[in-house]
Amino acid sequence: MYAVFGHPVAHSLSPRIHATFARQLSIPLDYRPIEATAEEFVGALADFADRGGRGANVTLPLKQNAARLCLSISERARRADSVNTLVRRGEGWHGDSTDGTGLIRDISGRHHLYVRGRRTLLLGAGGAARAVAFALLDAGISDLTIANRTPEHADTLADAIGQPERVHTRYWNDLGNWGGFDLVINATSAGHSNAPLNLPSSLLAARAICYDLSYSTASFGFLAWARSIGAEHALDGLGMLVEQAAEAFEIWHGQRPETDAIYAELRAYLPGNAED
Ligand code: ATR
């Protein structure tokens, strides 16, 4: 018995993705969305465990809450201060974070692009940004520049990472004075409210990748900007969603599912199915 907790969670694609994986590997699976606010989460999770829950995904806005209530936590989840995958171990929950790995697998495994050595700009400094920052550094980007609407939050994230020789912060309004980025990651939530990011056109090096952690309509604004200034690759986060799910599935069931079929299915199902 498995579930995804979030608020709102009704439109989550995770039940569909995990059902596809389970069918592929002939594993019987009960995986349901469970709606829970931050206040309701502890009770809802305890109730789920009482009913035999063995594992769960956690999505917005509960990933930090989940990190707090685990009895044990993986190193990557501790650093990210984020848990998106819960595994029942004895009387408690073990927490892991598969978002960062999902991003790297999508860029390198699906799109066959390398991450190593890229000068990287991370837009945003909230939970999503933190969840991928460490994975990008581990994957070998040359350096990480963090810009955030509220500069103090960028400084807090840079301090938490603690690699001053590789991690810098810049004022958002000052980004026009910087450029030469090979990889630009949009980890802001601006696309969800259709808010424009107002980014300068001078940011990219030749052959740059622009990647939005969101997918579907929430990614359209950033990806349109990326194409308009000549990004060689403008990618949304659909592949990351599928890869983080595959990683969670393997943690729970000990088998790694194939992800291309469900990726193609969701790409065709969601609005704006173009990809480059
Ligand atoms: P998530 O879990 O999706 O990362 P979050 O932790 O609330 O959500 O973080 C949202 C991020 O998007 C923050 O970096 C936020 O900037 P602030 O720290 O200034 O709040 C950023 N963000 C949200 N709306 C934005 C906008 N319209 N323009 C630029 N950044 C925005």
Side-chain angles (χ1 to χ4, degrees):
M1 193 176 175
Y2 295 82
V4 53
F5 289 83
H7 180 69
V9 82
H11 296 294
S12 169
L13 294 173
S14 292
R16 182 167 171 174
I17 295 171
H18 281 276
T20 303
F21 292 162
R23 262 197 314 278
Q24 186 194 111
L25 294 164
S26 303
I27 292 172
L29 183 73
D30 182 337
Y31 184 113
R32 299 174 192 192
I34 299 179
E35 187 75 38
T37 62
E39 292 71 36
E40 295 162 344
F41 182 45
V42 174
L45 191 62
D47 181 50
F48 175 67
D50 288 345
R51 287 184 286 119
R54 305 300 310 149
N57 283 132
V58 180
T59 186
L60 298 180
L62 305 173
K63 292 183 185 185
Q64 275 195 334
N65 303 60
R68 304 276 175 280
L69 58 76
C70 289
L71 271 190
S72 62
I73 192 166
S74 70
E75 176 62 13
R76 62 186 178 180
R78 188 192 60 73
R79 289 195 303 172
D81 192 25
S82 170
V83 159
N84 77 336
T85 304
L86 292 165
V87 192
R88 193 71 185 168
R89 281 194 188 163
E91 289 302 298
W93 292 102
H94 174 74
D96 205 342
S97 173
T98 66
D99 287 325
T101 309
L103 170 66
I104 303 301
R105 274 185 176 271
D106 185 48
I107 294 176
S108 54
R110 168 162 296 101
H111 297 292
H112 305 294
L113 299 166
Y114 63 93
V115 175
R116 181 165 296 280
R118 289 195 185 258
R119 290 196 59 215
T120 301
L121 173 64
L122 181 61
L123 301 168
R130 181 163 177 154
V132 300
F134 290 93
L136 287 162
L137 289 160
D138 289 350
I141 59 168
S142 66
D143 54 85
L144 185 68
T145 298
I146 306 170
N148 192 55
R149 179 178 62 181
T150 309
E152 295 78 18
H153 298 166
D155 291 336
T156 303
L157 177 55
D159 289 347
I161 296 170
Q163 299 185 37
E165 68 293 347
R166 282 175 85 198
V167 180
H168 320 281
T169 58
R170 301 282 179 249
Y171 289 115
W172 193 287
N173 292 338
D174 206 23
L175 280 175
N177 293 321
W178 301 92
F181 294 106
D182 310 298
L183 175 59
V184 180
I185 307 269
N186 181 24
T188 74
S189 55
H192 293 280
S193 50
N194 244 330
L197 286 173
N198 298 322
L199 293 165
S201 58
S202 53
L203 288 175
L204 302 187
R207 318 201 66 185
I209 305 171
C210 289
Y211 194 109
D212 196 312
L213 300 188
S214 305
Y215 55 89
S216 196
T217 50
S219 65
F220 288 0
F222 174 76
L223 296 181
W225 166 83
R227 291 189 189 98
S228 76
I229 64 161
E232 185 166 75
H233 303 277
L235 307 172
D236 72 5
L238 183 64
M240 173 180 167
L241 175 78
V242 171
E243 294 308 318
Q244 64 75 29
E247 182 91 358
F249 191 94
E250 187 176 9
I251 290 169
W252 292 329
H253 307 292
Q255 292 185 70
R256 186 158 202 100
E258 187 280 319
T259 56
D260 286 349
I262 183 68
Y263 176 77
E265 183 185 315
L266 293 175
R267 177 68 65 200
Y269 160 78
L270 292 168
N273 59 8
E275 183 188 344
D276 41 336

